[in-house]
Amino acid sequence: MASGTALIYDEEMTTHKLLWSDPICDIEVPERLSSSYEQLKCYHLVERCVQVPAREGSEEEILLVHSSEHLEVAKSTQTMNEEELKRVSGNYDAFFFHPNTYCCARLAVGATLQLVDAVMLGKVCNGMALVRPPGHHSQKNAANGFCLFNNVAIAAEYAKRKYSLQRILIVDWDVHHGQGTQYIFEEDPSVLYFSWHRYEHQEFWPSLKESDYDAVGLGRGKGFNVNLPWNKVGMENSDYLAAFFHVLLPMAFEFDPELVIVSSGYDSGIGDPEGQMNATPEVFAHLTHFLMQLANGRLCVILEGGYHLKSLSESVCMTVKTLLGDPVPQITGEMAPCLSAVESIQNVRAAHKPYWKWLMYEGNYYSISSSKCNWQMDSCRHSKLLRLIPCFVLYLGIWSFTFVLNSFSLLKDAEGNDFFAAVLGFILPIAYSYQPDLTVIAVGPNRSLGISGISLLFALLQGLAESRIFAVIEVRSGAKPWYFKVPRTELTSSSSSMLGMNCSKLPSRKYWLYLYCLWYPAPPCPTFVKQIAQASFCPEQDTDAY
Ligand code: Q9C
Ligand code: ZN
C-alpha cells in the first residue's frame, strides 16, 4: 500500500484578491492560504510531506463540469479593468474577479487534480491541497459564494474517467452547503455527496429548499445525496462526531468508495464569523482519521472555506498531522449531541431509509432478538470471555462492558453490515463519551469477523486514548498467527495508575437515552432501558467481573 502524504501549495494563488470594498466578500483573503502554510511550517509538517507542484487545470478538464460559456466569461476577465471586473462580478451571488482570478482558479483545479493523480498512482497514500479560490458553490454555468470552478467536482469527474472509478465519496464539512456539487452529481449514483451545513430552517445563505435533508438525489442518483442541515448555530465536537457515527460513516462503509475527496472548509470550526459553530481544531483530526479508514486510505483533502485565520490554520494543521499518521489528540468536553443536532440526524436518516441497507434493517434488531434479551449473560463474565466475540473494553468502563457484549448478542443474528453498524453507531459513541485512557480489545478464537473487520475496529478505536490500544488475542493452537499494526504510541501509564482513574468522565444519562433512541427505533424493551439506566448510574457494579 502507498505511503506518504502529499501537500500542494502555490503562492500564486494568493494573488486573487478583492480590489474594491464589499462587506460580503472581504473575508476571503489571500492570508487564508499563506497563514495556513506558515502554521504548517511552524509545526514542521511541511517537511514531513511530499511536496507536489500545482499545475494549471486544462480547459478540457474544466469543461468536465462547466459550460463553455462559463469558461469563456472567466477567461475574458483576465484583461479587464477594475470597473469591468466589478460589473461582471455583480452578475453572481458573492463573487469577485481580480485580473489574476482566472489563473488562480485554473491552478486551484490543477492542484486538486495533481493530488488525485498522486493518490491514484500510488505516489502517496493521501494528501491536502491548499487552494484559492474555493470550489463547492460553483455551478455548471455560474460562479457563486467565492467559488469560480468547482475543484472537487472536477476532480471527482476526472478520477471517474481517468481511473475508471465507480464509487467516489465527497465529504463536504464546510459550514456552507456545497449546492454546486449537489447540482453536478444529483443524478449520479457513482458519486456519494455528503454535506452538513448551517441552515437555520432555510434562513442561512444560500437559503435553498434543496439544502434540506429531504434532497436525497434525483433519478438514478436517489440516495446518493446526503444533506445534514444544522438548524442552530453553536454546534460542537459532539454534534459533528454524532453526524459521523450515525449518518456518514455507516453509509460510507456500505458505499465502499474507491476514493474519498473532502471539500474541506474550516468555517465549520470555532471562531469562524460565517459558521458561528464551536467545534475545535482537534475534531478535524478525528474526522480525518475516520475517513482514512475508507478507500484503502485514498483520501484527498481540498481546502474550501475558513475565515478565522487562527482557527483555520490550526485546523489545517490538525488535518495534515492526522494524514501523516500522528496519533489523534483527545477530544474533551461534553459528548452528548444537542437536541437540534439529534433532530437533524434523525431526519436525514429517515429520509435515506429507503436507500441504505444499514438503515433499512435497523428497526428489525429489536424484533429479531427480543427473545434473546438476556441481560445476565453469565458466561461473559468469566474466563469464557475471550472465546466470545471481539470485545471492546473501556478502561474502567467495565460497567459498559456487559452492555456492549449484550448489544452484540442482540445484533449477531442480523445479516449484512450489522457489525459495522454496531461499531459505528454504538461502540464508537460510547467510547467517545467515555473518553478512555486506554482501549483494550479482546478477540476470541472463533471470531466471525475476519482480520479485516477486526483491523477496522482496531483502527477506528485508535482515534481514542491517544492511540493507546492493547489487544488481547486468543489464538487457537495450531492456527496461523496474524498481527495488528503496532500502535503508534507507547503505553506510558502503568495499569495500576489507570486503575486509580475516577469515573468523572461518565456520559450523562441523556446521551445513553439518546443512543437508545437512534439505535432502537422500535418500542423499547423495558429490561433494556433498565439496563441502560443502571449502567449509567452504577458504574462500579460490574468491576468484579475482573
Ligand atoms: N448575503 C465558502 O465558504 N455569503 N463560501 C453570502 C450573502 C457567502 C462562502 C452572504 C459565503 C460564501 C467557500
Ligand atoms: Zn464555507
Side-chain angles (χ1 to χ4, degrees):
M1 205 176 99
S3 69
T5 294
L7 181 65
I8 309 190
Y9 173 75
D10 191 324
E11 216 184 310
E12 181 80 16
M13 285 181 278
T14 60
T15 60
H16 161 66
K17 53 161 91 59
L18 180 63
L19 294 173
W20 51 87
S21 136
D22 176 353
I24 287 171
C25 291
D26 62 10
I27 53 175
E28 211 285 88
V29 294
E31 291 74 25
R32 297 180 50 242
L33 229 51
S34 48
S35 68
S36 299
Y37 193 67
E38 283 308 311
Q39 199 61 44
L40 286 168
K41 280 202 258 181
C42 195
Y43 286 125
H44 302 286
L45 293 168
V46 173
E47 62 211 54
R48 294 174 57 196
C49 291
V50 179
Q51 312 292 312
V52 174
R55 65 168 172 90
E56 290 199 350
S58 69
E59 293 193 7
E60 191 190 340
E61 287 160 351
I62 291 164
L63 293 171
L64 285 171
V65 155
H66 296 284
S67 67
S68 48
E69 292 84 347
H70 183 56
L71 177 62
E72 291 309 316
V73 172
K75 214 194 283 183
S76 72
T77 60
Q78 291 176 100
T79 53
M80 287 182 179
N81 63 31
E82 192 176 318
E83 197 186 324
E84 293 168 311
L85 289 168
K86 208 169 167 177
R87 184 183 49 79
V88 184
S89 302
N91 293 335
Y92 304 106
D93 183 4
F95 192 76
F96 60 92
F97 277 104
H98 173 282
N100 214 35
T101 297
Y102 176 68
C103 169
C104 291
R106 280 187 58 167
L107 275 174
V109 170
T112 308
L113 300 185
Q114 287 284 83
L115 181 54
V116 167
D117 280 331
V119 166
M120 290 310 301
L121 296 172
K123 293 185 176 145
V124 292
C125 175
N126 57 35
M128 173 153 202
L130 294 176
V131 300
R132 272 182 80 246
H136 71 152
H137 297 302
S138 155
Q139 297 149 41
K140 186 172 199 279
N141 207 21
N144 182 279
F146 315 157
C147 305
L148 182 57
F149 300 137
N150 197 319
N151 309 313
V152 165
I154 294 168
E157 205 54 55
Y158 174 87
K160 262 174 66 178
R161 293 180 195 217
K162 182 161 177 187
Y163 301 102
S164 317
L165 298 189
Q166 278 157 16
R167 292 177 315 278
I168 297 176
L169 168 66
I170 299 178
V171 177
D172 189 336
W173 67 46
D174 187 283
V175 85
H176 300 95
H177 180 219
Q179 86 279 37
T181 309
Q182 170 170 318
Y183 298 151
I184 290 160
F185 296 114
E186 61 194 342
E187 292 187 62
D188 186 345
S190 67
V191 177
L192 173 58
Y193 177 64
F194 171 89
S195 172
W196 65 37
H197 35 269
R198 179 172 170 192
Y199 191 58
E200 296 176 292
H201 303 283
Q202 215 180 316
E203 289 297 303
F204 190 69
W205 188 91
S207 304
L208 302 165
K209 181 76 201 69
E210 62 267 30
S211 304
D212 214 345
Y213 59 83
D214 56 354
V216 297
L218 302 171
R220 297 209 320 122
K222 268 198 169 154
F224 297 94
N225 189 85
V226 187
N227 285 334
L228 177 51
W230 300 127
N231 288 316
K232 289 220 160 78
V233 295
M235 292 301 167
E236 299 185 1
N237 295 346
S238 52
D239 303 298
Y240 288 2
L241 289 172
F244 263 52
F245 296 153
H246 302 300
V247 182
L248 175 64
L249 291 175
M251 207 174 253
F253 279 104
E254 184 174 332
F255 183 66
D256 190 21
E258 297 157 297
L259 172 68
V260 180
I261 309 178
V262 183
S263 262
S264 185
Y266 296 97
D267 40 16
S268 47
I270 190 164
D272 193 277
E274 276 284 307
Q276 304 286 326
M277 300 299 181
N278 286 329
T280 62
E282 292 76 42
V283 89
F284 294 102
H286 289 262
L287 306 186
T288 304
H289 173 83
F290 287 131
L291 298 183
M292 285 166 71
Q293 314 311 322
L294 294 155
N296 267 315
R298 287 195 285 259
L299 179 58
C300 297
V301 181
I302 316 298
L303 184 68
E304 298 277 2
Y307 307 101
H308 183 287
L309 295 183
K310 186 74 190 140
S311 179
L312 164 68
S313 50
E314 288 296 331
S315 300
V316 166
C317 289
M318 283 293 171
T319 305
V320 172
K321 209 168 140 48
T322 306
L323 290 175
L324 281 162
D326 285 1
V328 174
Q330 214 149 10
I331 287 235
T332 50
E334 175 65 69
M335 274 302 145
C338 72
L339 190 63
S340 174
V342 172
E343 219 169 71
S344 298
I345 288 170
Q346 299 274 30
N347 284 335
V348 67
R349 285 163 59 103
H352 277 275
K353 210 178 172 90
Y355 311 106
W356 296 92
K357 279 190 216 146
W358 131 81
L359 285 168
M360 236 164 340
Y361 297 150
E362 199 172 52
N364 299 339
Y365 289 145
Y366 169 77
S367 50
I368 286 171
S369 44
S370 54
S371 61
K372 295 194 175 187
C373 234
N374 169 15
W375 296 104
Q376 296 313 309
M377 288 280 282
D378 286 333
S379 57
C380 297
R381 295 169 157 253
H382 306 294
S383 57
K384 284 184 191 153
L385 188 70
L386 298 182
R387 230 163 299 144
L388 292 167
I389 35 188
C391 311
F392 161 72
V393 182
L394 295 165
Y395 201 76
L396 247 174
I398 296 149
W399 48 277
S400 63
F401 186 42
T402 332
F403 183 44
V404 171
L405 278 179
N406 280 325
S407 73
F408 269 116
S409 82
L410 280 177
L411 297 174
K412 71 184 172 197
D413 294 346
E415 17 159 336
N417 295 312
D418 54 324
F419 171 71
F420 297 103
V423 170
L424 299 166
F426 198 77
I427 298 179
L428 281 177
I430 289 171
Y432 270 80
S433 51
Y434 187 67
Q435 297 181 25
D437 291 320
L438 171 71
T439 308
V440 179
I441 304 177
V443 184
N446 57 346
R447 55 189 176 267
S448 53
L449 281 173
I451 293 174
S452 62
I454 295 166
S455 300
L456 176 64
L457 175 64
F458 203 85
L460 288 168
L461 291 170
Q462 237 171 8
L464 284 152
E466 283 160 346
S467 299
R468 286 184 290 264
I469 295 201
F470 172 57
V472 181
I473 302 163
E474 189 174 309
V475 187
R476 227 176 302 121
S477 58
K480 219 170 145 200
W482 47 278
Y483 308 91
F484 288 116
K485 253 199 261 166
V486 179
R488 285 177 288 252
T489 46
E490 293 294 314
L491 178 59
T492 46
S493 324
S494 73
S495 23
S496 58
S497 76
M498 291 284 186
L499 273 169
M501 207 183 90
N502 65 34
C503 293
S504 60
K505 289 183 188 170
L506 289 173
S508 64
R509 183 167 188 238
K510 192 174 91 195
Y511 190 51
W512 287 99
L513 292 175
Y514 148 72
L515 277 171
Y516 172 84
C517 293
L518 281 177
W519 195 251
Y520 296 92
C525 154
T527 332
F528 186 77
V529 177
K530 206 173 135 210
Q531 185 77 15
I532 296 171
Q534 282 172 357
S536 303
F537 293 120
C538 314
E540 303 86 350
Q541 212 168 54
D542 279 346
T543 41
D544 63 344
Y546 278 82

